[in-house]
Amino acid sequence: MSAVTTDRSHAGTVENPIDATGGAMLDDMTDAAAPASRAEGRRSDDERTSVPRMILTGFSWAILALVALLAIVVVVVPFVTGSKPYTVLTGSMAPQYPPGTLVVVKPAGIDEINLRDVITYQLESGRPEVVTHRVVAVGAAADGEPLLITRGDANDADDPDPVREVQIVGKLWYSVPYIGWINNVVTGEARAWAIPILVAGLFVYGLVAIAMGFRDRRRAKAALARGTRRDAGTEGDADTEGDAGDAGDAVTRDDA
């Protein structure tokens, strides 16, 4: 009977260390998983933060590109080519050129103008008032001087007076919808100081956007490095605790 009791005691002694070891293994797995979980959480937070920032940066660059393109189309190209920008004020050329359309007119002689071309001409030679209409016919005066018959696309009748060569400002080169209203505001002396300010503002904005992008990338890299070092330290602590637990189990087994 006593031999049976001794066997049961030894069996209990063998089972207890196995349970303790299993518990230590579970603790080690939990400690190892915790830093990874925290790192994953930080990455998720960074991703949630970076998405709005990326959208804002993309939107800013799109606005910058649009403004730069408009400045080139409205100011730079006419200046370089000697063309003139005008704003359509009435609906006589609708629907293709409604009021507010910016039309850029390139100088052209009467021999360069063909039927159906859109031209800008002075109502009276030497006067500032101009009209932009389409050429619908070509004629000649009694002395052989060439004349152009014009009409607005939305009008039912030709313009009352034919256009002589001295009245011609030029032929339509290209047009930009709605931008003409801005061109009306920024004219004359205002354009002389507005253009340099606009160019300088775009340049400064571009530099600021680039600097902010570099700064954000540096911060992200620094935060990632700090998180990596912190995770490595936490894993080292977990390994130390696991080793101490294993040593304790060994001593317990030896004492048993």
Side-chain angles (χ1 to χ4, degrees):
M1 295 293 290
S2 101
V4 174
T5 302
T6 303
D7 290 341
R8 288 178 180 177
S9 175
H10 284 302
T13 303
V14 173
E15 288 174 1
N16 288 339
I18 293 175
D19 292 340
T21 303
M25 292 175 63
L26 291 175
D27 290 342
D28 291 344
M29 292 175 62
T30 303
D31 292 340
S37 177
R38 287 194 295 270
E40 195 68 31
R42 278 194 297 272
R43 282 194 291 269
S44 298
D45 292 340
D46 292 340
E47 290 174 358
R48 284 195 295 269
T49 303
S50 62
V51 169
R53 185 179 301 162
M54 290 172 58
I55 294 175
L56 180 59
T57 302
F59 181 76
S60 300
W61 278 108
I63 294 296
L64 176 62
L66 178 61
V67 173
L69 178 61
L70 289 177
I72 292 172
V73 170
V74 175
V75 178
V76 178
V77 173
F79 177 79
V80 172
T81 61
S83 305
K84 293 184 178 180
Y86 292 96
T87 301
V88 178
L89 300 178
T90 68
S92 63
M93 289 297 290
Q96 189 169 0
Y97 307 106
T101 300
L102 178 78
V103 292
V104 177
V105 178
K106 196 171 186 179
I110 197 168
D111 56 336
E112 302 176 67
I113 298 173
N114 301 312
L115 198 65
R116 305 303 299 170
D117 283 345
V118 176
I119 64 169
T120 297
Y121 63 92
Q122 299 170 334
L123 287 175
E124 294 183 21
S125 179
R127 302 280 296 178
E129 296 83 6
V130 296
V131 174
T132 299
H133 277 177
R134 192 180 301 277
V135 176
V136 295
V138 178
D143 60 359
E145 179 187 10
L147 300 174
L148 302 177
I149 309 302
T150 57
R151 180 195 299 182
D153 290 352
N155 295 344
D156 297 329
D158 297 343
D159 297 332
D161 299 319
V163 179
R164 301 167 57 202
E165 184 172 11
V166 293
Q167 297 174 256
I168 298 173
V169 176
K171 182 168 62 173
L172 176 66
W173 187 15
Y174 62 87
S175 63
V176 184
Y178 310 116
I179 303 301
W181 300 127
I182 301 176
N183 184 64
N184 276 358
V185 174
V186 187
T187 57
E189 295 181 359
R191 184 176 296 175
W193 56 262
I195 293 174
I197 291 177
L198 176 63
V199 173
L202 291 175
F203 182 74
V204 171
Y205 179 84
L207 290 179
V208 171
I210 293 172
M212 291 180 65
F214 281 128
R215 183 197 65 184
D216 291 342
R217 282 193 288 271
R218 285 197 301 268
R219 287 181 176 178
K221 289 180 180 179
L224 181 60
R226 287 195 300 270
T228 303
R229 288 195 297 268
R230 189 181 302 113
D231 293 343
T234 305
E235 290 174 358
D237 293 342
D239 292 341
T240 302
E241 292 173 359
D243 293 342
D246 292 342
D249 290 342
V251 171
T252 303
R253 286 193 293 272
D254 291 341
D255 292 341

